[in-house]
Amino acid sequence: MIAMDMYVDGSRLELGKRIGKGGEGEVFLAQSHSKTAVKIYAPKLALLREDKVVAMVEAGLWKNSSLVAFPKGVVRSKKGEFLGFTMNVVEGHRPVHELYGVKSRKNHYPKADFRFLVRAAANIARAVGQVHQSPCVIGDLNHSGILVSDTATVALIDADSFQFEHSSRRFPCLVGVPDFTPPELHGASLNGVVRLREHDLFGLGVAIFQLLFMG
């Protein structure tokens, strides 16, 4: 557990159960805020992510999207140091690869038939479309960032990695999973690439193909 006083919008934030961990940091449930999750960056990454997360929160992206876990509040230490952000918690959903994997589908989606897969695929497309109605391009659309519930509803996570434009400034997407990245971007430095919505559609096509044809 991270032992540190932290605040969001002037309100003290208490962390609960850790629900995720990756190369960028850790994700916790917020014990002091209902239906809220908290991403705390690794110390070396926090300064690199601050401007983008603050801009996303200022833009209010989370208010207009029910399908994407956009940053909702800026988390800081008592001294004002940037630590991470809050977002709406995504409950009852699992990564899409657990749905298209035959063994994991039997365990986690025992009632799923082909109609269920088609419905989930359509909902993934709707979620991507909702992102494209905002000043964002997903960029790193992949099997870990798409979550599906046992009723085929869909949520997208890792929104802080999206390419995002705000106040004449573009914040790039710096990452990409090769299998979901268009061929024309393979070998390119993603730091200098401007992602297009069409690039997301390639990743969407791969995700839907894997979903409908068991990976």
Side-chain angles (χ1 to χ4, degrees), residues 59-81:
L61 300 176
W62 65 274
K63 297 178 182 178
N64 301 314
S65 178
S66 59
L67 306 178
V68 186
F70 280 117
K72 183 177 180 181
V74 178
V75 177
R76 297 188 181 277
S77 69
K78 192 172 185 178
K79 296 180 179 180
E81 301 163 317

Side-chain angles (χ1 to χ4, degrees), residues 6-16 28-38 72 86-87 89:
M6 54 187 67
Y7 299 82
V8 57
D9 299 327
S11 174
R12 194 170 189 279
L13 185 65
E14 295 182 15
L15 301 183
F28 300 85
L29 292 175
Q31 190 169 308
S32 53
H33 293 65
S34 176
K35 296 187 181 300
T36 298
V38 185
K72 183 177 180 181
T86 61
M87 56 190 160
V89 69

Side-chain angles (χ1 to χ4, degrees), residues 18-173:
R18 187 176 74 182
I19 57 175
K21 182 178 182 180
E24 290 193 337
E26 300 175 273
V27 179
F28 300 85
L29 292 175
Q31 190 169 308
S32 53
H33 293 65
S34 176
K35 296 187 181 300
T36 298
V38 185
K39 180 171 183 177
I40 302 298
Y41 287 109
K44 293 182 180 179
L45 283 176
L47 285 176
L48 300 176
R49 299 290 187 266
E50 181 175 6
D51 287 353
K52 184 178 187 179
V53 169
V54 169
M56 282 184 148
V57 172
E58 288 179 349
L61 300 176
W62 65 274
K63 297 178 182 178
N64 301 314
S65 178
S66 59
L67 306 178
V68 186
F70 280 117
K72 183 177 180 181
V74 178
V75 177
R76 297 188 181 277
S77 69
K78 192 172 185 178
K79 296 180 179 180
E81 301 163 317
F82 175 75
L83 301 175
F85 62 89
T86 61
M87 56 190 160
N88 290 330
V89 69
V90 178
E91 297 179 308
H93 291 62
R94 308 185 72 88
V96 67
H97 62 82
E98 295 193 8
L99 175 58
Y100 66 66
V102 177
K103 184 177 180 180
S104 58
R105 184 165 76 201
K106 288 181 179 179
N107 290 335
H108 301 300
Y109 302 88
K111 297 181 180 180
D113 55 14
F114 193 74
R115 291 173 298 178
F116 183 98
L117 300 182
V118 171
R119 190 161 69 250
N123 286 336
I124 294 171
R126 290 189 182 97
V128 172
Q130 193 171 95
V131 173
H132 289 173
Q133 291 174 3
S134 74
C136 293
V137 174
I138 297 172
D140 185 29
L141 179 67
N142 66 71
H143 59 287
S144 297
I146 303 169
L147 307 184
V148 184
S149 75
D150 59 6
T151 60
T153 59
V154 166
L156 302 181
I157 59 172
D158 297 330
D160 54 316
S161 73
F162 292 0
Q163 177 180 285
F164 169 59
E165 296 186 23
H166 182 65
S167 298
S168 301
R169 184 177 180 185
R170 179 183 291 123
F171 299 90
C173 173

